[in-house]
Amino acid sequence: MGIVNAQNITDVVVGSLGKHGEITEREREIATALIRHLHGFVKDVKLQHHEFLAACDYLARAGKLCNDNRQEFILLGDILGIEVLVDMMTNPVEGNESESTVLGPFYRENPPVLPKGASTIQKHYDNEETVYFEGYVRDEAGRGIAGVTLDVWEDAPNGIYENLDPDQPEYNLRGRFETDETGHYAFVAVRPVPYPIPDDETAGELLRFMGHHPNRPGHVHFILSREGYRPLISQIYDADSKWLDEDSVFAVKESLIGTFRPAAKELGTDLHFTFDFVLKAAAAERAVAAE
């Protein structure tokens, strides 16, 4: 029945799902939960019409900000802790595999492919600290995995990512590397510095509405991928960085924190950072191994 009141409106809307077009069970599950939670929110806060219109305007303005360099809705999801929660639902840790965390809004596809040990640095800064990053990528049994692609990116010593800074060269502090036959990777970059996420426009409005700050601790982004293994999107964090315990996007996990140490002279950098990853076999590979 389509006649509604405050008591039955939620059930009427849920009951309309799939009546005039086929929907999948997953679509029904998501739509039902979304409707019930949104209606519950409206009732809980007794949302007023002028507030509803303000929210519509806010989302419209957020949409207009999206471009190749800034994905405003990912940024808003980060500020609300939604992306990190979605990641936890998508990639639950079931064994000794490395933990994942948020992709973030500043990833760029197709960074340069560089040889092992090469540098991602294309522009130097007076305050930079160069770093030799290295480690091993292993499977759950501890065996090194050859041919893993590591896509890495970070902010510059001025606290700005290359795609937001017209003064930086294209793909500065970004690169793709591959593990050798032992699973070892290595590259040169800089020590990441804490920085504020964009706090202008709709992202800034949300931060101020929440009474929250925009700052992130120093970190380097990684995407690890190889056929036969579950892709890993993660970040590694500087144990000595400010904001480590108060990340504006709630993405820091204990297992992803590491320590920068003085580098040996032969490395040719200021600092040395070691970090190992463990990749989980893809579902099909696990099924074969179990047979």
Side-chain angles (χ1 to χ4, degrees):
M1 184 175 181
I3 307 302
V4 298
N5 55 50
Q7 288 69 47
N8 74 356
I9 177 63
T10 303
D11 290 335
V12 169
V13 177
V14 170
S16 74
L17 296 174
K19 276 195 170 182
H20 298 283
E22 186 175 345
I23 63 175
T24 67
E25 285 305 306
R26 179 60 172 163
E27 289 169 341
R28 182 182 298 278
E29 179 185 17
I30 291 173
T32 298
L34 177 65
I35 292 163
R36 292 198 182 281
H37 282 290
L38 285 176
H39 283 220
F41 164 76
V42 170
K43 291 178 179 179
D44 285 347
V45 303
K46 293 183 172 57
L47 195 72
Q48 301 299 294
H49 199 257
H50 72 277
E51 294 168 325
F52 168 73
L53 293 178
C56 292
D57 175 71
Y58 176 83
L59 293 173
R61 289 186 287 112
K64 291 177 182 178
L65 293 170
C66 296
N67 55 43
D68 291 341
N69 293 328
R70 178 167 174 166
Q71 221 305 341
E72 194 72 0
F73 287 104
I74 291 180
L75 190 56
L76 298 179
D78 286 343
I79 293 168
L80 291 168
I82 292 173
E83 187 182 5
V84 71
L85 180 58
V86 169
D87 175 70
M88 291 175 184
M89 299 297 101
T90 306
N91 300 300
V93 176
E94 300 166 342
N96 64 340
E97 72 268 26
S98 295
E99 288 191 282
S100 58
T101 192
V102 299
L103 175 68
F106 307 125
Y107 174 65
R108 289 189 70 184
E109 294 183 345
N110 302 315
V113 176
L114 300 171
K116 179 184 169 185
S119 175
T120 64
I121 303 169
Q122 298 185 51
K123 179 179 179 177
H124 291 280
Y125 294 79
D126 291 340
N127 66 324
E128 74 181 22
E129 293 179 280
T130 57
V131 184
Y132 190 85
F133 289 90
E134 66 172 330
Y136 288 88
V137 182
R138 298 186 172 98
D139 64 17
E140 293 167 284
R143 297 169 297 217
I145 308 173
V148 177
T149 298
L150 295 92
D151 189 337
V152 303
W153 70 103
E154 63 174 321
D155 65 326
N158 64 354
I160 306 175
Y161 285 87
E162 156 271 331
N163 54 339
L164 300 179
D165 185 356
D167 294 328
Q168 291 186 47
E170 282 281 295
Y171 291 102
N172 184 42
L173 298 170
R174 298 176 187 266
R176 278 179 288 175
F177 300 89
E178 191 171 284
T179 56
D180 65 15
E181 64 278 2
T182 69
H184 185 255
Y185 74 89
F187 64 93
V188 173
V190 297
R191 186 177 195 169
V193 299
Y195 66 88
I197 60 174
D199 60 354
D200 59 347
E201 304 291 356
T202 51
E205 291 177 44
L206 180 57
L207 285 168
R208 289 185 288 277
F209 184 84
M210 294 171 63
H212 196 33
H213 69 83
N215 299 296
R216 297 217 63 205
H219 61 278
V220 179
H221 293 264
F222 284 79
I223 298 177
L224 284 74
S225 58
R226 187 189 185 280
E227 185 177 358
Y229 295 87
R230 191 169 75 181
L232 175 66
I233 298 172
S234 199
Q235 301 173 22
I236 54 176
Y237 294 89
D238 182 351
D240 297 316
S241 178
K242 189 178 181 181
W243 306 110
L244 191 67
D245 296 327
E246 202 179 353
D247 182 14
S248 62
V249 304
F250 313 101
V252 179
K253 298 178 181 179
E254 188 68 34
S255 69
L256 303 179
I257 300 171
T259 301
F260 289 85
R261 305 186 188 282
K265 185 176 180 180
E266 59 267 22
L267 293 179
T269 57
D270 300 313
L271 300 169
H272 185 202
F273 189 96
T274 60
F275 197 91
D276 297 339
F277 295 95
V278 176
L279 295 186
K280 188 178 186 66
E285 298 294 326
R286 294 200 302 274
V288 171
E291 292 178 354

